[in-house]
Amino acid sequence: MNNRINKKQIEEKVEETLLSIEGMQRATPAPYLLTRINARKQEIATRENSIWFRLGIMLSRPVVAVSCLLLLLLLNTVVINIAANYTGMAGKNIATQQRDEFAMNVLSIYETETNEP
């Protein structure tokens, strides 16, 4: 009995499959597909000859990329050290200006007008 049910299910599946292929048609490409493919190939070939494309290829090489990164890190370190030295010197100048007892505003020394009535 199990064998009959199994055969019946298989026959139904085969019939379903045969019915599903009745409306099939031959596949056709979209109009002007070959023309678009050839235009795209030409565009890629033109782009590969440009200077920017060649520069991108050169910069994407690991040796060049790593050396550019190291150069950038070196420049950052130099700029940070110069900035730290400059602010250190400016801080020393501010400290000496605050300790100067005689540093006064010139207008306050030579004030000729009195505010008293």
Side-chain angles (χ1 to χ4, degrees):
M1 178 136 178
N2 195 11
N3 196 12
R4 279 188 192 171
I5 295 173
N6 206 5
K7 279 186 177 181
K8 196 174 207 180
Q9 287 176 345
I10 292 173
E11 286 178 15
E12 287 175 2
K13 292 288 184 184
V14 169
E15 189 66 31
E16 251 181 66
T17 305
L18 290 174
L19 289 175
S20 69
I21 62 173
E22 279 183 14
M24 288 181 66
Q25 297 177 355
R26 185 174 179 90
T28 57
Y32 304 109
L33 178 66
L34 185 60
T35 306
R36 287 185 274 159
I37 291 172
N38 288 334
R40 180 72 175 149
K41 283 174 46 179
Q42 184 65 32
E43 178 186 332
I44 291 171
T46 304
R47 189 180 337 153
E48 288 177 354
N49 291 332
S50 72
I51 292 172
W52 294 110
F53 188 78
R54 290 181 187 171
L55 183 67
I57 288 175
M58 186 187 74
L59 290 177
S60 67
R61 292 184 179 150
V63 172
V64 177
V66 169
S67 62
C68 287
L69 282 174
L70 290 176
L71 180 66
L72 184 66
L73 287 173
L74 178 69
L75 285 174
N76 282 337
T77 305
V78 168
V79 168
I80 289 171
N81 285 337
I82 290 173
N85 289 338
Y86 180 73
T87 55
M89 290 170 44
K92 291 177 187 174
N93 290 340
I94 291 172
T96 56
Q97 287 176 357
Q98 288 174 349
R99 280 189 260 136
D100 190 8
E101 298 172 11
F102 300 105
M104 298 179 75
N105 191 352
V106 174
L107 293 177
S108 66
I109 294 173
Y110 298 111
E111 187 175 320
T112 57
E113 189 176 311
T114 58
N115 291 334
E116 296 177 14

